[in-house]
Amino acid sequence: MKILVTGGAGFIGSHTCVSLLENGYDVLVYDNLSNSSEESLRRVEKITGKKVEFVKGDILDKEKLNEVLSKDKFDACIHFAGLKAVGESVEKPWEYYQNNIAGTLNLVDAMRNNGCKSIIFSSSATVYGDPAEIPITENCPKGTCTNPYGWTKSMLEQVLSDIQKADNEWNVILLRYFNPIGAHKSGTMGENPNGIPNNLMPYITQVAVGKLKELGVFGDDYDTPDGTGVRDYIHVVDLAEGHVAALKKIKENCGLAIYNLGTGVGYSVLDIVKNFEEANDIKIPYSIKPRRAGDIAACYCDPSKAKAELGWEAKNGIKEMCEDSWRWQKNNPNGYEN
Ligand code: UD1
């Protein structure tokens, strides 16, 4: 079985390539390297001892997508490629809608032109907005997103669902990720954000390695046990395995299916700081800052549907997530640019 992995050089994509290769799939990565490094794919090859085919290309390049899809027979596409910085999406909405939405429409068109009608789409818990229920099940109504990035995920879910409804040869699996952190156990692959990180764990690891002075905790007056925001952090390797489980579901011709991928456990910002400090014996200086615009108090899922239907559940706990994030950062203080 051969899988087209768009955005396969990125954080979640590269870890998913490892899981795919370890499970006997062949992969072709299609990535424009705008926010990723080809070095990640060399590390995938080193870990798995297998070859990763790579095409440098943009999802906005319709011709190139058609060329790639016409040259090979792909059993499915896992579609990670997209712009993903929340703050930047508020500044550059046109670029986000153009890249994420037009790019995905190009991809789907090239897929159907070439007889590949199975797609796994990287969606996000962000589609629930401020969730109507906690823990969040897949039946929770979608909400109002607070930024264009979130809207692209929500809109693309609709687009792909409608395409599947109109043509039942399509299999569409929407995976709603909660908060991916952690890194491969080898310490050779992990998250490699451009510039100052926006997300919590890469910020913490950069404080730990001495690149940043202290963590700002965005708000301590939320309606949560310690007042700081609560999220469902999931180990990126568990998340990667979720894609392999979803591919098995696609083989059964599942039609349209939606799954939350999280652990079902919520940790506050201060829980994460404390667990990181204990797991790695490092102090993380922090100070309380005002709330960040668009943040919600709490967000964690009920992952039981994925367990029942995909036979998948997260295996790593918070200790492993903290240890593995740190091993990666410590061994690669400058990410893949060493
Ligand atoms: C964010 C996005 C989400 C996206 C995800 C990707 C929003 C509203 N949501 O999730 O759409 O899919 O990233 O991983 O932006 N925090 C601090 N200090 C920091 C950074 C974060 O206190 O320096 C806090 C936040 O307030 C939040 C928690 O840590 O309570 C997690 O934040 P973050 O890692 O940015 O993820 P989300 O905001 O949950």
Side-chain angles (χ1 to χ4, degrees):
M1 296 259 291
K2 187 155 186 176
I3 312 299
L4 174 65
V5 185
T6 71
F11 175 45
I12 307 173
S14 58
H15 285 82
T16 300
C17 286
V18 171
S19 294
L20 290 170
L21 292 165
E22 284 175 344
N23 281 277
Y25 292 94
D26 294 320
V27 302
L28 185 147
V29 168
Y30 187 88
D31 196 307
N32 68 0
L33 302 179
S34 69
N35 188 25
S36 60
S37 159
E38 213 182 325
E39 177 61 23
S40 68
L41 299 178
R42 281 183 214 120
R43 312 249 174 133
V44 170
E45 290 179 331
K46 200 151 181 221
I47 287 168
T48 61
K50 295 189 177 165
K51 181 99 197 73
V52 177
E53 244 181 285
F54 173 63
V55 173
K56 186 173 176 199
D58 202 297
I59 51 174
L60 291 174
D61 187 343
K62 238 179 153 164
E63 266 173 38
K64 199 166 225 172
L65 279 172
N66 267 299
E67 193 188 309
V68 166
L69 275 145
S70 64
K71 271 197 191 150
D72 252 316
K73 186 194 167 304
F74 291 98
D75 296 282
C77 170
I78 305 182
H79 178 34
F80 294 105
L83 299 174
K84 59 158 197 177
V86 171
E88 185 185 62
S89 79
V90 177
E91 312 289 319
K92 298 180 174 173
W94 187 88
E95 283 76 3
Y96 272 67
Y97 289 113
Q98 166 74 1
N99 186 80
N100 292 6
I101 300 207
T104 302
L105 292 173
N106 286 342
L107 172 68
V108 165
D109 193 36
M111 287 174 69
R112 64 181 183 180
N113 289 342
N114 293 286
C116 174
K117 292 188 175 181
S118 291
I119 187 165
I120 296 175
F121 176 61
S122 291
S123 189
S124 164
T126 200
V127 302
Y128 294 112
D130 196 351
E133 59 178 44
I134 289 241
I136 305 170
T137 69
E138 291 80 354
N139 292 328
C140 178
K142 285 168 68 172
T144 302
C145 297
T146 53
N147 56 77
Y149 155 78
W151 281 120
T152 67
K153 294 292 178 194
S154 188
M155 290 175 185
L156 284 168
E157 283 199 352
Q158 188 67 45
V159 167
L160 294 171
S161 301
D162 288 342
I163 286 168
Q164 195 284 327
K165 240 179 267 168
D167 176 358
N168 64 16
E169 285 180 6
W170 275 93
N171 292 304
V172 170
I173 298 192
L174 310 176
L175 297 180
R176 294 176 176 161
Y177 310 152
F178 282 68
N179 290 56
I181 59 170
H184 191 267
K185 299 270 174 221
S186 62
T188 63
M189 291 175 55
E191 193 167 6
N192 186 31
N194 271 338
I196 296 176
N198 296 307
N199 297 115
L200 180 62
M201 186 54 89
Y203 204 102
I204 289 178
T205 59
Q206 292 203 10
V207 170
V209 85
K211 290 177 100 176
L212 296 167
K213 217 169 111 249
E214 65 163 19
L215 171 72
V217 173
F218 299 145
D220 67 349
D221 57 352
Y222 286 105
D223 184 14
T224 60
D226 65 17
T228 66
V230 168
R231 297 290 184 275
D232 186 334
Y233 295 92
I234 174 171
H235 196 292
V236 66
V237 172
D238 285 326
L239 192 62
E241 293 292 330
H243 294 76
V244 176
L247 276 178
K248 292 194 183 118
K249 189 80 187 164
I250 278 189
K251 269 196 224 154
E252 299 166 16
N253 283 325
C254 59
L256 171 67
I258 305 178
Y259 299 102
N260 287 334
L261 296 186
T263 64
V265 183
Y267 288 101
S268 74
V269 177
L270 295 180
D271 287 335
I272 297 293
V273 170
K274 194 167 137 266
N275 276 282
F276 187 91
E277 290 183 335
E278 282 173 7
N280 300 313
D281 201 18
I282 298 175
K283 206 88 204 113
I284 301 298
Y286 69 84
S287 64
I288 306 295
K289 298 276 186 275
R291 290 182 180 196
R292 181 172 67 177
D295 275 355
I296 54 177
C299 176
Y300 54 93
C301 77
D302 174 347
S304 54
K305 187 181 179 205
K307 185 171 182 193
E309 296 187 14
L310 301 178
W312 170 91
E313 66 184 323
K315 297 194 183 96
N316 289 280
I318 195 64
K319 187 166 183 282
E320 286 100 336
M321 296 189 225
C322 291
E323 286 170 354
D324 296 343
S325 293
W326 176 230
R327 187 179 306 109
W328 152 252
Q329 180 78 74
K330 188 176 48 180
N331 293 349
N332 305 270
N334 299 314
Y336 291 116
E337 283 84 51
N338 278 334

